[in-house]
Amino acid sequence: MSDPFVHPDGRCESDDVGAGTRVWAFAHVLKGASVGAGCNLCDHTYVEGGAVLGNNVTLKNGVQIWYGVTLEDDVFVGPNATFTNDLRPRAAIKKDEWELVPTLVRHGATIGANATIVCGITVGEEAFVAAGAVVTKDVPARAFVAGSPAVQKGWVCTCGDPLNADLACARCGRRFRAAADAVNGVVPAES
Amino acid sequence: MSDPFVHPDGRCESDDVGAGTRVWAFAHVLKGASVGAGCNLCDHTYVEGGAVLGNNVTLKNGVQIWYGVTLEDDVFVGPNATFTNDLRPRAAIKKDEWELVPTLVRHGATIGANATIVCGITVGEEAFVAAGAVVTKDVPARAFVAGSPAVQKGWVCTCGDPLNADLACARCGRRFRAAADAVNGVVPAES
Amino acid sequence: MSDPFVHPDGRCESDDVGAGTRVWAFAHVLKGASVGAGCNLCDHTYVEGGAVLGNNVTLKNGVQIWYGVTLEDDVFVGPNATFTNDLRPRAAIKKDEWELVPTLVRHGATIGANATIVCGITVGEEAFVAAGAVVTKDVPARAFVAGSPAVQKGWVCTCGDPLNADLACARCGRRFRAAADAVNGVVPAES
């Protein structure tokens, strides 16, 4: 790990970017953006002032992270996946009528390619939003959601594979159980 | 208002861009594009020659406006929302067989984040296309449409909030009535 | 045809790009990408090392072609259409656990604007993926698919128009027949 790497065609105007983070070509990190260490901000990404990224976050190409969006550590955002921070955007709105609506993506979650995340929701820990999904409500931890609008189709493991009916992963062997409050999804069995 | 502002990493090749319009980093406005005053063309946007934008239009990041697409004043286009101008694109088509199919977005309309607008349609005045929607037919004035393909779910106010069953807005108090020809949507009550 | 053209604001690091190919502003072709002749790589496109493009391929703006994705000759990819090469992306995955999942788009196919292509599939010859579709399984040759998830709605001609019930095109007169193995779609009548 070392200082952030900024590609000669990338632009980084924030002084709050962690060691080892890479800002690739035509990517743009604005003043006031908070970006952790070891992140990978691919070509044509954009991180707005006020946006918060933890450590080891991957933003694939064409992703924007707006003021009001928080991505915890180890979040993966697929190419062209799209966030928002306003539920009723209008070009003519007056600045003092504008209302910021936050979004939180918890540790280790995956946002699939070209998915759309409507603001005001939480995507739970290690949850998995399928490619192309349009997410309009909270996603429980380790839930797999897909479709337009996105609905839950199952549960996923830390490794990304589906969990079986016993909440176990056939590939890596991890086991899970329902959270105390089922709306929160599933958690490691030994937790 | 003053001359257009072009970020050092933005490119503006059109001489038909209005005062106060901003062209941000890695945005590209081509020769022959017509852009009004006070527009905000965010990072990674693209305005093709022949495209027409009115005044005070917002293009969030990753939006392209093609030849054949017209956005009237005060239109908001969310990030990665995508327009088209060809109903049967083929890489091998001969130039003289290519048919331009226009799209019109009327005054004050909102195109949500990552929405897809199939060409050949009109999005009515102050209509609201939800994030992630795939629009395949005309959208009446002040209609709210969502889904893939997009269907109408209700009506919206000038301010962006939903209208109630009486076509009134609980937030800002504006009132509307059905247009003389219902296919045209709803219009201000006193009009 | 001549050497590739690279716009002053485009970046081409591959030495395997064919004559007459154009790399437009803020587009980026990486070392190790294989790109044929006569391609059109529009603004804000990205071609990764290991990606393979045939001749006369069009990538409209905002498209990325990843390692593991192969586009044969004459493929058209609409703006912001999104490919993938990983079925379970996680930011924290170890490199030696990562599994590449390939995608093949056959000769002359069209991927519509803002479509999402989940990896591991083949899009057949001259098939047509509608704008905004989310493709999760193989697409037969000349099939027209739309929706989220995408389902087949009909057949299309080489020219892009729909085929009628007799597998003929009213516009250009071409005729087709079912392939010997129907799962493969339809083929020219005289083939």
Side-chain angles (χ1 to χ4, degrees), chain A residues 9 11 13 26-28 44-46 62 64 66 80-84 87-92 97 114-116 118 134 148, chain B residues 9 25-26 43-44 56 60-61 74-76 79-80 108-110 113-114 126-128 131-132 156-161 171:
Chain A
D9 292 311
R11 299 291 177 260
E13 298 156 11
F26 313 125
H28 194 178
H44 310 109
T45 54
Y46 178 88
Q64 305 97 20
W66 312 107
N80 293 339
T82 307
F83 289 88
T84 60
L87 284 175
R88 44 175 118 81
R90 292 299 206 187
E97 289 177 357
N114 214 11
T116 306
V118 176
V134 179
S148 175
Chain B
D9 292 313
F26 313 125
D43 282 42
H44 309 109
N56 193 33
K60 296 296 287 182
N61 304 40
D74 293 328
V75 165
F76 178 95
N80 293 340
T110 291
N114 215 11
E126 296 182 356
F128 199 113
V156 292
C157 183
T158 303
C159 76
D161 257 33
R171 187 163 74 118

Side-chain angles (χ1 to χ4, degrees), chain A residues 42-191:
Chain A
C42 297
D43 283 42
H44 310 109
T45 54
Y46 178 88
V47 184
E48 195 171 53
V52 178
L53 280 67
N55 298 318
N56 193 32
V57 168
T58 296
L59 303 185
K60 296 297 287 182
N61 304 42
V63 170
Q64 305 97 20
I65 306 298
W66 312 107
Y67 172 42
V69 177
T70 299
L71 310 181
E72 293 186 350
D73 295 351
D74 294 329
V75 165
F76 178 95
V77 185
N80 293 339
T82 307
F83 289 88
T84 60
N85 67 357
D86 184 354
L87 284 175
R88 44 175 118 81
R90 292 299 206 187
I93 200 169
K94 295 190 185 74
K95 273 214 168 137
D96 59 356
E97 289 177 357
W98 188 77
E99 185 184 350
L100 179 73
V101 180
T103 298
L104 173 61
V105 182
R106 302 291 310 275
H107 174 269
T110 292
I111 309 295
N114 214 11
T116 306
I117 310 294
V118 176
C119 52
I121 67 162
T122 294
V123 176
E125 190 169 282
E126 296 184 355
F128 199 113
V129 173
V134 179
V135 181
T136 59
K137 56 183 184 179
D138 287 351
V139 180
R142 297 174 190 84
F144 174 75
V145 301
S148 175
V151 296
Q152 187 175 350
K153 306 288 190 179
W155 301 104
V156 292
C157 183
T158 303
C159 77
D161 257 31
L163 298 181
N164 64 22
D166 297 325
L167 299 179
C169 177
R171 188 163 73 117
C172 76
R174 284 185 182 86
R175 306 186 67 83
F176 297 85
R177 60 174 178 79
D181 183 345
V183 70
N184 292 321
V186 306
V187 296
E190 64 282 12
S191 65

